[in-house]
Amino acid sequence: MTAIDDQYDLIVHAESAFIDGAFRAATIAVRDGVIAAIEPPGPAGVEARSEVTLAPGERLIPGVVDTHVHVNEPGRTEWEGFASATRAAAAGGVTTIVDMPLNSIPPTIDPAALAVKRASAAPQAVVDVGFWGGAVPGNLGSLRELHDAGVFGFKCFLAPSGVDEFPHLDSAGLLAALRELAEFDGLLIVHAEDPSVLTAHENDGGPSYPRFVESRPPEAELVAIQGVIDGIRETGGRAHILHLSSAAALPLIAEAKAEGLRLTAETCPHYLTLDAEHIPDGATEYKCCPPIRDEGNRDRLWHGLLDGVIDLIVSDHSPATAELKLGFDGDFGRAWGGIAGLQLSLANVWTEAARRGIGLERVLGWMSQAPADFAGIAGKGRIAVGADADLVAFAPDTEFTVVPSALAHKNPVSAFAGARLRGVVSTTWLRGIATTGEPRGRLLARGPVIE
């Protein structure tokens, strides 16, 4: 405990606050954007510029850290943008996002493109924003420059990305990237689907959801993940598997971890809450790659989380315009693949976790602390003295119905339309100041904050 003995900017009294992995009553004091003291509940005994007592039934939780967000600005800002994405984040209890190097134009594959991204984000960000770099055939051998410019790591695809300006790495390129990054302990984050498997299962598309799933079978993930594991073993590098869809890969990942290889993995709310059996034909709002699979697969992903094989949950917020998502007469082969879910991530996962008897404590571990630790974002994802005062007043038992037009996402298209979810955010504080939609977010870098 740190005694409360001076004036503070904010004091929050909570009957239930998530501290050191458990909920307990506490008074949180904030000074200069940082948690300065945590005390038992009761009057603080000092003045604060602002003093808040959470309503009955509300819990104080750390802000969610989402390390997998496609903001798409600049270049495809009609799909999403920093203003709309970060407003949506704050509304859903997310206080830090890390932006993917595509589908913006230019993609973040060199320091000049990173500067363009920062210039776009800086005047608009409602929450804190960091950036991933990209590893593509054309920038291998020069990744250190982008690393030194502050990206948190490097994303690559092992199969076509869907946009021409971000080509994928072949097996030799994957090995070269891992070897290069190992020289300075950089992190490679991998969209792991094998192109030869995808080619072998390619079909003519159409409105059938089962046929779409057949075109991207679990084998595509298995082969690609095995290639990543082999590459880590050969180079001594470290890698992370993005948006794990197929539970069939869990034994591979578990064995690699047991071997001591530096491999981590994530999954996403749509894989944990939706299933193929309930996706209608022609419902292209559900299209994503890799795809949402069957109910049994979904159950095994939850077991993978509980067993520690999967390390974290992030949104893979990948929006597009309604025309791109829905404008092809239900043809899964032609519609854009991506789920827009940033604002709903916490409520989605908590709703399903609660249904399974899994506590909010575990959810926050997977969605707040684990992503912050994974990306090395100091002071995020926890309520602790010295951490950023990124706090959320969350009512876990309050329900709401998803209405896409009411979300802050730029395009009102959602795979969760009509869902009845639990968990409502009443206030999100970024460094001790309640978010209002005004751009107060900072740009984060691997290392010091860039103002």
Side-chain angles (χ1 to χ4, degrees), residues 241-245 265-269 271-272 301 305 310-315:
I241 304 302
L242 297 166
H243 46 51
L244 182 69
S245 157
E266 69 185 37
T267 193
C268 306
Y271 300 130
L272 296 169
L301 289 176
L305 282 161
I310 301 173
D311 300 274
L312 51 132
I313 303 171
V314 288
S315 70

Coordinates of all heavy atoms in Angstrom, one line a residue, residues 241-245 265-269 271-272 301 305 310-315:
I241 N 1.6 -16.3 -33.1 CA 0.6 -16.7 -34.0 C -0.7 -15.8 -33.8 O -1.3 -15.7 -32.8 CB 0.2 -18.2 -33.8 CG1 1.4 -19.0 -33.9 CG2 -0.9 -18.6 -34.8 CD1 2.2 -18.9 -35.2
L242 N -1.0 -15.1 -34.9 CA -2.2 -14.2 -34.9 C -3.5 -15.0 -35.1 O -3.5 -16.0 -35.7 CB -2.0 -13.2 -36.0 CG -0.9 -12.2 -35.9 CD1 -0.6 -11.5 -37.2 CD2 -1.1 -11.2 -34.7
H243 N -4.5 -14.5 -34.5 CA -5.9 -14.9 -34.7 C -6.1 -16.4 -34.9 O -6.5 -16.9 -36.0 CB -6.6 -14.1 -35.8 CG -5.8 -14.0 -37.1 ND1 -5.2 -15.0 -37.7 CD2 -5.6 -12.9 -37.8 CE1 -4.7 -14.5 -38.8 NE2 -4.8 -13.2 -38.9
L244 N -5.6 -17.2 -33.9 CA -5.7 -18.7 -34.1 C -7.2 -19.0 -34.2 O -8.0 -18.7 -33.3 CB -5.1 -19.3 -32.8 CG -5.1 -20.9 -32.9 CD1 -4.2 -21.4 -34.0 CD2 -4.8 -21.5 -31.5
S245 N -7.5 -19.7 -35.2 CA -8.9 -20.2 -35.5 C -9.1 -21.7 -35.2 O -10.1 -22.1 -34.7 CB -9.2 -19.8 -37.0 OG -10.3 -20.6 -37.5
A265 N 0.6 -17.1 -28.8 CA -0.6 -17.2 -29.7 C -1.7 -16.4 -29.1 O -1.9 -16.3 -27.8 CB -1.0 -18.7 -29.9
E266 N -2.6 -15.9 -30.0 CA -3.8 -15.2 -29.6 C -5.0 -15.8 -30.3 O -4.8 -16.6 -31.3 CB -3.7 -13.8 -30.0 CG -3.7 -13.6 -31.6 CD -3.5 -12.2 -32.0 OE1 -2.7 -11.5 -31.4 OE2 -4.1 -11.8 -33.0
T267 N -6.1 -15.6 -29.8 CA -7.4 -15.8 -30.5 C -8.3 -14.6 -30.3 O -7.9 -13.6 -29.7 CB -8.0 -17.1 -30.1 OG1 -9.1 -17.5 -31.0 CG2 -8.7 -17.0 -28.7
C268 N -9.5 -14.7 -30.9 CA -10.3 -13.5 -31.0 C -11.7 -13.7 -30.6 O -12.2 -14.9 -30.6 CB -10.3 -13.0 -32.5 SG -8.7 -12.8 -33.2
P269 N -12.4 -12.7 -30.2 CA -13.8 -12.9 -29.7 C -14.7 -13.6 -30.7 O -15.6 -14.4 -30.2 CB -14.3 -11.4 -29.5 CG -13.1 -10.7 -29.2 CD -12.0 -11.3 -30.1
Y271 N -14.0 -16.0 -32.7 CA -13.8 -17.4 -32.7 C -14.3 -18.1 -31.4 O -14.5 -19.3 -31.3 CB -12.3 -17.7 -32.9 CG -11.7 -17.2 -34.2 CD1 -10.6 -16.5 -34.2 CD2 -12.3 -17.5 -35.4 CE1 -10.0 -16.0 -35.4 CE2 -11.8 -17.1 -36.6 CZ -10.6 -16.3 -36.6 OH -10.1 -15.9 -37.7
L272 N -14.4 -17.3 -30.4 CA -14.8 -17.7 -29.0 C -16.3 -17.7 -28.8 O -16.8 -18.3 -27.8 CB -14.1 -17.0 -27.9 CG -12.5 -17.1 -27.9 CD1 -11.9 -16.1 -27.0 CD2 -12.1 -18.5 -27.5
L301 N -10.9 -24.1 -28.2 CA -10.2 -22.9 -28.1 C -10.3 -22.4 -26.6 O -9.3 -21.9 -26.1 CB -10.7 -21.8 -29.1 CG -10.4 -22.1 -30.5 CD1 -11.1 -21.0 -31.4 CD2 -8.9 -22.1 -30.8
L305 N -7.2 -21.6 -23.9 CA -7.0 -20.4 -23.1 C -6.8 -20.8 -21.6 O -5.9 -20.4 -20.9 CB -8.2 -19.5 -23.2 CG -8.3 -18.6 -24.4 CD1 -9.7 -18.1 -24.6 CD2 -7.3 -17.5 -24.3
I310 N -3.0 -20.8 -25.4 CA -3.3 -19.5 -26.0 C -3.1 -18.4 -24.9 O -3.6 -18.5 -23.8 CB -4.8 -19.4 -26.5 CG1 -5.0 -20.5 -27.5 CG2 -5.1 -18.1 -27.1 CD1 -6.5 -20.7 -28.0
D311 N -2.4 -17.4 -25.3 CA -1.9 -16.4 -24.3 C -2.8 -15.2 -24.1 O -2.9 -14.7 -23.0 CB -0.5 -15.9 -24.7 CG 0.5 -17.0 -24.8 OD1 1.1 -17.3 -23.8 OD2 0.7 -17.6 -25.9
L312 N -3.5 -14.8 -25.2 CA -4.3 -13.6 -25.1 C -5.4 -13.6 -26.0 O -5.5 -14.3 -27.0 CB -3.4 -12.4 -25.3 CG -2.5 -12.3 -26.5 CD1 -2.6 -11.0 -27.2 CD2 -1.0 -12.5 -26.1
I313 N -6.4 -12.6 -25.8 CA -7.5 -12.4 -26.7 C -7.5 -11.0 -27.1 O -7.4 -10.0 -26.3 CB -8.8 -12.7 -25.9 CG1 -8.9 -14.1 -25.3 CG2 -10.0 -12.4 -26.8 CD1 -10.1 -14.3 -24.4
V314 N -7.6 -10.8 -28.4 CA -7.6 -9.4 -29.1 C -8.6 -9.5 -30.2 O -9.1 -10.5 -30.6 CB -6.2 -9.1 -29.6 CG1 -5.3 -8.8 -28.5 CG2 -5.7 -10.2 -30.5
S315 N -9.0 -8.3 -30.6 CA -10.2 -8.2 -31.5 C -10.0 -8.6 -32.9 O -10.9 -9.1 -33.6 CB -10.8 -6.8 -31.5 OG -10.0 -5.9 -32.2

